[in-house]
Amino acid sequence: MSRIKTITNDIANDEQAKLFANIQSSLGGVPNLLRVFANSPDALKAFQGFHHIASHGSLDAATRERIALAFAQKNQCGYCLAAHTVVGRKRGLNTDEINANRQGDSQDAKAAVAVKFALKLAEQTGGVSDDEVQEMYDAGFTDADIVEVVMHVSINLLTNILSKVSQVDIDFPKVDLNQAA
């Protein structure tokens, strides 16, 4: 049971209900983590804004999911691992790729650079070396891509932390943090 209230449709105020209706129309449902965010409608709106920006940028959807899977595993976030396993499969990631992502890697050479860079950003709180930035350029990433990787790091840290603090009920098929996908 969630330690922070999960706002259900029957207790949602008008503002929360409108936010849920928009989420429902775009996703087909309202994930429990977003219902936790809804305790602060402003926080939910901010998250939606960051998520919109991050999902419409230059990074491809599969690489975004690879980063999310790496962070969910690294941060031991069961909710996020379950959610991004589902979304990753929809983005074309197979079991071997998901397992590589969970280990901080990728079977795709270019994506592997981005996943490793993202993890380094978090480990070093942005204090990456010139060589690490150059590796991104050498792999074919642009300045915009690097900014977006930073954005994905922040979004994934946010969701991992809120999920763990709230202990939100997982509403996706559960994935064992200690076993391969």
Side-chain angles (χ1 to χ4, degrees):
M1 182 162 167
S2 184
R3 292 194 288 198
I4 298 176
K5 184 178 3 176
T6 302
I7 305 297
T8 57
N9 291 346
D10 60 320
I11 64 169
N13 64 33
D14 289 344
E15 185 177 17
Q16 293 163 330
K18 287 177 188 173
L19 289 165
F20 290 165
N22 288 335
I23 294 166
Q24 175 77 34
S25 70
S26 65
L27 298 180
V30 182
N32 282 344
L33 187 59
L34 298 185
R35 292 180 180 281
V36 170
F37 264 109
N39 280 283
S40 167
D42 287 334
L44 178 54
K45 287 185 263 186
F47 173 75
Q48 287 179 297
F50 279 125
H51 191 267
H52 175 81
I53 292 165
S55 64
H56 289 84
S58 60
L59 285 180
D60 64 275
T63 298
R64 295 191 304 259
E65 290 308 314
R66 289 173 172 114
I67 291 169
L69 286 160
F71 270 83
Q73 184 66 49
K74 177 188 181 315
N75 295 322
Q76 293 289 287
C77 181
Y79 186 93
C80 296
L81 184 60
H84 289 289
T85 296
V86 168
V87 177
R89 289 190 191 287
K90 288 180 181 178
R91 301 292 183 254
L93 303 181
N94 64 30
T95 299
D96 290 339
E97 179 63 14
I98 289 170
N99 288 332
N101 303 153
R102 289 175 62 183
Q103 298 305 311
D105 205 352
S106 176
Q107 296 175 324
D108 176 277
K110 183 177 179 180
V113 173
V115 170
K116 290 174 185 176
F117 184 73
L119 290 172
K120 290 247 184 193
L121 285 168
E123 290 167 9
Q124 299 171 28
T125 53
V128 293
S129 69
D130 291 345
D131 289 342
E132 289 164 327
V133 173
Q134 187 60 51
E135 188 176 3
M136 288 287 287
Y137 291 131
D138 291 346
F141 291 104
T142 66
D143 289 335
D145 296 328
I146 292 171
V147 169
E148 289 182 25
V149 170
V150 172
M151 178 72 97
H152 285 285
V153 167
S154 65
I155 290 170
N156 284 289
L157 285 173
L158 170 64
T159 57
N160 289 177
I161 290 169
L162 183 57
S163 172
K164 290 176 71 173
V165 167
S166 67
Q167 294 184 358
V168 63
D169 293 329
I170 299 172
D171 52 346
F172 295 92
K174 290 185 182 174
V175 175
D176 188 337
L177 285 163
N178 300 311
Q179 289 185 322

